[in-house]
Amino acid sequence: MLMLVLTLIANPNSRDISNELAREIANDIGTGSINWLADGAACDIGLLPSEATELKVSEMIAEAPIDFAIQPNENRRKKALIADMDSTMIEQECIDELAAEVGIKDEVSAITAKAMNGEIDFDAAVEKRVALLKGLNADVTDAIIRNRITFASGGATLVRTMKASGAYTALVSGGFTTFTSRIGATLGFDENRANVLETDDGKLTGEVRKPILGAAAKVVALNEIAGTLGCTASDFIAVGDGANDLPMLQMAGTGVALHAKPNVAAKSKIKINHGDLTSLLYLQGYCESEFVNG
């Protein structure tokens, strides 16, 4: 019989999972076994298959700030991580920060929000926003990264811990290589892929090199990396927040919508709304004692 595992995850700063709640769930709908991955922050509970289990867990958690996922216990620890960058590994949208340099951040941010929620075509939205940046000094990226980009909680720990276990890590973004190259290197990713902003005499031309790296290209990246590593999509854990991430999340063995846009969360099996990026380690069965902290 297929064995399933229920993983409860809370924000590591609040650690809202009580022993009483974990025991109640384990005894009521689980096998009775609890494996604490981090005190108050994450635990695994053994389950037997049941169509009603997810609903029961939701009812028992009620309004508590706790995320959960139900997965097969087999092949949980993945061989590769493929991650989005903007609003996932970092807390900003880089194109919005570029727009701030020319005083049109609100206008560009509105387009970004619609594209990330799947309300408008992603590729067209990239072209429209980049066109508004024509004439901007290309080297402004350095100052933006230095002064305004902040890393998402748990990101460096996620990358370093998986790499310490032999996993491959790829940062694949619908953003721009001027950001992914620096941010990917800082976080320790093995490779990064993103769009290329065209420049002329040190200034942005308002164009992005074709083809645009959108949703389809993220799937291509996953497949190409899997081929290079000699594994399959089932060996990947993927994380993102936007509509252009959704096909990648759905293809990966474990796809995680992290603090995702509403339309993306609604279509994703695993959603993390309260935890940080270390949640991806707990989903794979890592204990906090195994973390390589960033």
Side-chain angles (χ1 to χ4, degrees):
M1 179 179 291
L2 177 67
M3 292 301 297
L4 300 176
V5 60
L6 163 67
T7 306
L8 302 180
I9 301 170
N11 188 290
N13 294 321
S14 56
R15 297 183 180 257
D16 290 305
I17 306 171
S18 66
N19 286 307
E20 292 76 16
L21 176 61
R23 176 55 57 194
E24 180 184 4
I25 293 173
N27 289 339
D28 191 17
I29 60 176
T31 61
S33 66
I34 302 174
N35 177 31
W36 283 98
L37 304 174
D39 186 30
C43 68
D44 282 343
I45 296 173
L47 296 178
L48 294 175
S50 170
E51 293 182 1
T53 298
E54 186 168 341
L55 177 59
K56 289 182 179 178
V57 175
S58 296
E59 291 173 345
M60 296 179 79
I61 290 175
E63 299 300 317
I66 298 171
D67 300 308
F68 74 91
I70 298 172
Q71 310 173 77
N73 202 29
E74 185 179 348
N75 193 32
R76 285 177 68 194
R77 195 162 291 201
K78 302 303 183 183
K79 297 177 181 177
L81 164 71
I82 185 166
D84 174 47
M85 180 180 70
D86 297 89
S87 297
T88 299
M89 298 304 301
I90 62 174
E91 296 180 318
Q92 293 76 28
E93 293 283 339
C94 289
I95 196 165
D96 295 354
E97 299 306 318
L98 287 169
E101 295 295 317
V102 290
I104 55 171
K105 184 173 183 177
D106 288 347
E107 178 182 352
V108 169
S109 293
I111 301 171
T112 300
K114 289 182 178 180
M116 291 299 98
N117 199 38
E119 298 173 37
I120 57 177
D121 180 72
F122 178 82
D123 290 11
V126 170
E127 291 184 301
K128 181 176 182 178
R129 288 173 291 168
V130 170
L132 295 171
L133 303 177
K134 183 177 180 179
L136 182 64
N137 287 330
D139 61 6
V140 73
T141 299
D142 296 328
I144 292 173
I145 291 176
R146 183 171 59 251
N147 299 323
R148 299 210 297 275
I149 297 301
T150 53
F151 294 108
S153 175
T157 298
L158 168 64
V159 174
R160 293 176 186 181
T161 301
M162 288 192 66
K163 289 184 67 174
S165 292
Y168 189 82
T169 58
L171 185 65
V172 180
S173 171
F176 309 109
T177 54
T178 52
F179 289 95
T180 60
S181 59
R182 295 166 173 81
I183 290 167
T186 300
L187 289 171
F189 279 92
D190 292 303
E191 72 167 91
N192 72 90
R193 304 186 185 195
N195 290 302
V196 178
L197 290 169
E198 299 287 10
T199 62
D200 182 40
D201 195 26
K203 296 183 182 296
L204 301 186
T205 66
E207 297 180 347
V208 60
R209 187 175 301 172
K210 303 298 193 312
I212 292 174
L213 196 158
K218 292 197 176 194
V219 170
V220 169
L222 191 156
N223 283 326
E224 288 181 351
I225 294 168
T228 300
L229 298 178
C231 62
T232 68
S234 65
D235 296 309
F236 279 70
I237 187 166
V239 62
D241 72 300
N244 61 320
D245 298 311
L246 193 55
M248 175 182 77
L249 300 183
Q250 293 172 335
M251 172 170 280
T254 302
V256 184
L258 182 80
H259 302 284
K261 307 305 181 288
N263 284 344
V264 179
K267 297 175 182 177
S268 299
K269 182 179 178 181
I270 298 178
K271 298 171 278 289
I272 297 297
N273 297 319
H274 305 289
D276 66 5
L277 282 160
T278 59
S279 301
L280 274 71
L281 294 172
Y282 296 130
L283 288 169
Q284 297 178 77
Y286 285 91
C287 294
E288 189 174 30
S289 59
E290 298 177 85
F291 288 6
V292 180
N293 292 317

